[in-house]
Structure formats: C-alpha cells, structure tokens
Amino acid sequence: MPPETATPAADPSHKKTRARDAESWPTLKRFLPYLWPKDNPGLRTRIVIAMALVLAAKAVTLALPFAYKGAVDAMSGQARDGATVAFALVAAYALGRFTSVAFDNLRNIAFERVGQIATLHLAEDVFHRLHRLSLRFHLARRTGEVTKIIERGTKSIDQMLYFLLFNIAPTIIELIAVGVIFYINFGIELVAATAVTVVAYVYVTRAITEWRTKLRREMNDLDGKALHRAVDSLLNYETVKYFGAEHREEARYSNAARAYAEAAIKSENSVGLLNMAQALITNALVAAAMAYTVWGWSKGTLTVGDLVLVNTYLIQLFRPLDVLGWVYRTIRQGLIDMAEMFRLIDTDIEVKDKPGAPALIVKRPTVVFDNVTFGYDPGRTILNGLSFEVPAGSTTAIVGPSGAGKSTIGRLLFRFYDPLSGRVLVGGEDIAEVTQESVRAAIGIVPQDSVLFNEDLAYNIAYGAEGADQAMVEQAARDAALTPLIERLPDRFATMVGERGLKLSGEEKQRVAIARTLVKNPPILLLDEATSALDTRTEQEILATLRRIAKGRTTIAIAHRLSTIADADNILVLDHGRLVESGDHTALLAHGGLYAEMWARQASERREDDIEAEAAE
C-alpha cells in the first residue's frame, strides 16, 4: 500500500482523512482475528496454502522472462542448437504461463472459504450488536443508513482482502526480485531508474486517489441519503397516498439521486486523469529502459534477448501497478467501510445485564414501580417518583392525558431503558439485577400498532415462542378468534401478510398479535392501547378476546378510551408523570377528580358522535 502523507490542516475534510488514515491500521488489526481464527485450524491451513501458492505463482512468473530471452537469443543465432533450444524454451514458457494461472486459481479456491467465513462472522457480530443496542439508538438512527453500512462493509471485505494479499503483497515481492535481477544483469543504473519511476508512480497515484477517495466518500453519503429517502417513502406508502404527496416524495428522492449522480460523474472523470498520469510515467520508463538495452546491444554487451527480458519484466511489473489507484482506493474504501461497521459494534449498549446476572424466576407475577424517575432527555423528566403495585392475577389499568407517561411505563417494564432512579420489580425481583431476556420472556404485549413480519400467518403467530409447533399455532389462533378468518383464506396459515402486515385489517392484525402472545404464554400481560385504533364494534370484539386471555394472568392495560378499562380491578390515573388518583371505576367517579373529568369529556364526545351519525343517516 502506498505510504501515507500529510495533508493540509485547513480543510476539514483533510482532518477527516487524517483521522480515517489513523484508523486504517487499527481497523485492519482488529479484523485479523476474523481472518486468522484461533478456533478454526482448517481455515488457517487454507491461508498458509493460499500464500504458498502465491509465492509459487510469483516464482514461475519471475522465471518466464528468462525462457523468453533464451528463445529469442536461440532464434537470433546467439545460442547453439537454435531451433531445438527455441522449441524447448517456448514450450517451457507456455507451460510456465499455464502453471502461473493454475496456481492463481488454486489460490483463489483455497482462500475463498476463508474470506467468506471471515465476512460472515463479522456480519453476524454486527447484527448481534444491533439487536442489543438500546431503543434510543434505533429511534435516532435511520434504518436505511444502518443497513447500507452493513452492506458496504461486508461487500468490501472480500475485495479488500484479495487485493491486500494477492495484489499488494505479491507486487512488493516482485519489485524486490526485479530489482535484484536488473542489478545482476544490467547494473545499478536500470535499478535506480526503475526505483525512481515506481516511487513517482506511487506518489502520483496516491495523490490523485486521495482526491478520488474524497469524492467517493461524498458519493457514499449521498447514496445513503438517497436510499434512506427511498426506504422512508416506501415504508410510509399509505401516508404518502393520504396526502397526495407522490410528487413531493419523487422530488425529494430525485434531488438526492441527482446529487449522487453529479458526485459519481466527478469521481468517474477523475479516472481518466489517473490513467493518463500513470501511462505517462510507465511508458517513459519502458522507453528509457529499452533505449538503454539497445545501446548495450550496439556495444556488444547485451543481446536481443536482453531487450525482450527487460521489456517483459517491466510489463509484468507495471501490470499490477496499472490498477494501483483502483486497488488502493478499494483497500482504503474497504477500511473506511469496515471502520463504520466496527463503530456500530463499538456503540455503547445503554441497557446492560450485570456480569453473572441470574435469570428471572417468576413465582408470583407481581409488578411494582418503586419511586421511579425517568426521562428520555436530561432536561425533560417523564416520570417523577412514580410508585404503584400490580398484585398477582389482577387487572390494573393505567390512564391519563397524553404525555402523562403511560407508554413509558411499558418501555421501562420491558427494560428498553433503565430508570434514572428507583426500581422496577417483577415477581419481587429488581429487573436491573436479572437478565433482560428472562424479563421479556415473562411479559407478553399486545401493542396499539401490531407490526408483523412479511411472512405467512403461521410464522407470525409462532414468533411468540421459539420452537412453537403447528398444534400450538392452531390452538392460539382458535383462542384469539382467528379461525373464521383463516378458514376464508385459500392458503390458510400459509397466507402472506405483506410488509408490516398491510394485507390484514387492523382487527386481523390485533388478533394475530394476540395469538402470538398466547403462543408465548407469559404470566404477565401488557395491553398498550391495544384497541385505540379500532372502530367501536371491532373494539368490543377484541376486548372480549383480551378479557378472556387475561384470566389467570397479571394484566396491565394502558388505555386512552376509559370505557375499555372500566371493569379493571384497579385504575391508576397519571398526570405529568405522577400518580394522582387510584381506585376502581366507581370510586374514581365518586371522587370527582381527573378521572371523572376525563370520563365526562369522553362521554360527551361519544354523544356528539352518535348525534352526528344519526344526522348522517
């Protein structure tokens, strides 16, 4: 790889370049364990075999020009038994070329598994990390950009490894060997000319490639931006249609794509400049070296074959150097992309299990919030010293105005975040002291927006528990009253539900979510405004199903519509993150506080809706 050189500090982009240059070796060093795995001697053996084949191929390549020289000298009459020797050397030359190609391809065969396995393990580690990062990270990052980082990183590894091991390293070996051969056969002058030319070639290539790398980085940024806008627009397809915003979305995407196209044009045009500069340097050396050889022939110190020898070595030497800019750029870009992947891996996990944390064992499924204070941002507190208890086997509803902190309770219960102070206890255990996996295994949820995978019904229902069989899926579907829908579908459980479940109605998605939770069979059930997006008739049908599955479980129902939780054992009323009232429906109405006010307002709204409906009829 060409040596790093300093760049001006005045340009902020150069500061980024220096920072990324400084990361190149640490990034490569960090990747080496993937390439040389301690627990896989078979892959390490493949690497040794591949490198041995590299050396063998290079040895054959370096010997070929001598066969070529011998054949030419034999044909020019400067060697005895000319024809026989020429035939033998030509045959050896042809055999050597074939052997070199064979060694190269055997090397690729030996190394292919190494590169793919290394890429696989790194991609698995990144994906593993992403699923363990906090909800805060995923809400802040754009999904399209994250997936693009992973895609670019994994795709670049294989190419980068190929060029590092099978282009840069063999070229360095060949440079040294050619220098020795030229010194022995032609003297120090030709060695010096070759060295100066190679240094000039590398310097010019690196200078232009640095410029191209900056353009390439700009292309990547714009590519990610265009991809994000496309993904965001398609994910919100219905919203775009609701507001007739197709032209706006097309314009947003077109602007990003046009900026990418302009950057791509600049980048590709710079290739022409690089190629011309490289050709000027290499051809100047070839001309000078061949002129030097002709001069030696005229003095009788060199043969015609020496002219062929020099020309062949220089052509062989500059063939890999001709693509040095591309190789260097590929390696640099690969290191940049890999560094981005490692930055994802290094992203701090906000919610961590304590070392040696045990699994949660729920004997009595109680839920307690003990003086919990929490805020998503330092300057904005959502819950202020909140305390309450949900007894085992009871149904507790949580209500309050928008922004009171109702949904935040569900996120803390699932331990997507940790409280700033206070404790959340499940079954008498502080969930911060046990594993997150065991906490989430004990709690089932039916959310307001039930997002499904773009798979069939059976997959989405069985997702509730790993290893769920068809009998469990069918039983859960019956308990969630999904059977009438499934019987109407030609493909029954094999019916695809579409992206995010868009092929199903709101009621059908909610029933699939209920069935999924039934497969999980948790002792604690969280209903997070599970019916707020449904019409009144559908809501009542879903509520009947929810009440049936809540029997025998500890249930927390977060609700906006008070009519849906009027029969709860206990109702907690929140306001600005504080518990202001609690009791059953009758007691809270009699108290005449915030709950009674909310009940009266919703009752008035229902009457107005009924009057408007009657007038419309």
Side-chain angles (χ1 to χ4, degrees), residues 70-128:
V72 172
D73 283 341
M75 293 173 67
S76 63
Q78 297 182 29
R80 289 175 293 179
D81 303 324
T84 304
V85 173
F87 274 123
L89 290 173
V90 166
Y93 183 80
L95 180 62
R97 286 181 62 86
F98 169 77
T99 304
S100 178
V101 171
F103 282 158
D104 284 343
N105 283 276
L106 288 172
R107 172 206 69 197
N108 292 341
I109 292 170
F111 189 78
E112 183 62 26
R113 179 172 292 276
V114 177
Q116 292 296 335
I117 293 298
T119 303
L120 171 65
H121 287 168
L122 179 55
E124 287 176 340
D125 284 352
V126 175
F127 195 70
H128 172 88

Side-chain angles (χ1 to χ4, degrees), residues 468-489:
D469 57 24
Q470 187 65 23
M472 294 171 65
V473 169
E474 292 177 0
Q475 182 61 47
R478 283 193 293 271
D479 292 342
L482 261 175
T483 306
L485 165 67
I486 293 170
E487 289 179 345
R488 293 196 304 268
L489 299 172

Side-chain angles (χ1 to χ4, degrees), residues 177-191:
V178 169
V180 172
I181 292 169
F182 277 6
Y183 177 74
I184 293 172
N185 290 273
F186 306 105
I188 193 64
E189 295 85 1
L190 194 55
V191 175

Side-chain angles (χ1 to χ4, degrees), residues 119-349:
T119 303
L120 171 65
H121 287 168
L122 179 55
E124 287 176 340
D125 284 352
V126 175
F127 195 70
H128 172 88
R129 186 69 168 195
L130 286 173
H131 271 291
R132 277 149 187 80
L133 293 178
S134 67
L135 182 62
R136 192 190 309 273
F137 170 86
H138 288 285
L139 292 177
R141 292 297 294 262
R142 295 169 175 172
T143 304
E145 289 181 350
V146 172
T147 55
K148 197 68 177 177
I149 288 172
I150 298 174
E151 179 189 356
R152 281 201 299 258
T154 52
K155 282 186 176 179
S156 67
I157 290 170
D158 197 42
Q159 258 193 333
M160 189 190 69
L161 286 176
Y162 180 87
F163 287 133
L164 273 174
L165 297 175
F166 306 141
N167 185 285
I168 298 295
T171 300
I172 293 173
I173 294 172
E174 187 166 6
L175 273 170
I176 296 170
V178 169
V180 172
I181 292 169
F182 277 6
Y183 177 74
I184 293 172
N185 290 273
F186 306 105
I188 193 64
E189 295 85 1
L190 194 55
V191 175
T194 304
V196 169
T197 302
V198 169
V199 170
Y201 187 97
V202 169
Y203 177 80
V204 169
T205 298
R206 188 192 183 283
I208 297 177
T209 302
E210 280 296 337
W211 172 48
R212 298 199 67 235
T213 300
K214 180 182 175 182
L215 296 176
R216 180 73 180 181
R217 192 176 299 125
E218 181 183 350
M219 283 173 58
N220 281 347
D221 292 340
L222 293 171
D223 189 23
K225 187 176 181 180
L227 178 68
H228 160 69
R229 290 187 176 179
V231 171
D232 196 36
S233 179
L234 293 174
L235 285 177
N236 293 282
Y237 172 83
E238 288 184 272
T239 304
V240 174
K241 290 294 184 183
Y242 291 150
F243 293 94
E246 292 91 342
H247 294 301
R248 272 183 281 165
E249 291 301 318
E250 290 165 8
R252 287 180 73 230
Y253 176 75
S254 179
N255 289 337
R258 188 176 293 112
Y260 170 78
E262 290 298 324
I265 290 170
K266 291 180 183 178
S267 178
E268 292 306 314
N269 285 346
S270 66
V271 175
L273 177 61
L274 177 62
N275 290 340
M276 286 189 292
Q278 289 175 332
L280 177 63
I281 294 170
T282 57
N283 285 293
L285 175 63
V286 169
M290 292 180 71
Y292 174 80
T293 310
V294 171
W295 176 79
W297 170 78
S298 68
K299 296 291 185 181
T301 58
L302 299 177
T303 67
V304 176
D306 287 323
L307 178 69
V308 174
L309 182 73
V310 169
N311 186 60
T312 305
Y313 270 126
L314 290 178
I315 290 174
Q316 285 185 181
L317 182 62
F318 283 110
R319 187 178 298 123
L321 288 178
D322 277 344
V323 292
L324 180 63
W326 178 46
V327 170
Y328 176 55
R329 188 178 69 251
T330 300
I331 293 172
R332 278 291 306 278
Q333 188 61 44
L335 290 170
I336 290 169
D337 293 338
M338 282 176 58
E340 290 289 338
M341 288 182 68
F342 283 127
R343 271 191 278 275
L344 285 180
I345 293 178
D346 292 338
T347 302
D348 185 50
I349 299 177

Side-chain angles (χ1 to χ4, degrees), residues 362-367 390-397 413 426 440-446 464-465 472 475-480 513-527 544-557 567-570:
V362 181
K363 295 179 180 177
R364 283 181 53 78
T366 59
V367 175
V390 181
S394 68
T395 297
T396 296
L413 184 59
V426 173
R440 292 164 190 159
I443 307 169
I445 184 171
V446 180
M472 294 171 65
Q475 182 61 47
R478 283 193 293 271
D479 292 342
I514 293 169
R516 186 162 59 188
T517 301
L518 287 171
V519 168
K520 186 176 184 180
N521 193 27
I524 300 171
L525 183 62
L526 176 64
L527 308 176
T545 304
L546 291 174
R547 291 188 183 105
R548 187 171 69 252
I549 70 169
K551 289 180 180 179
R553 306 177 197 271
T554 300
T555 304
I556 300 174
D567 59 347
D569 300 318
N570 190 32

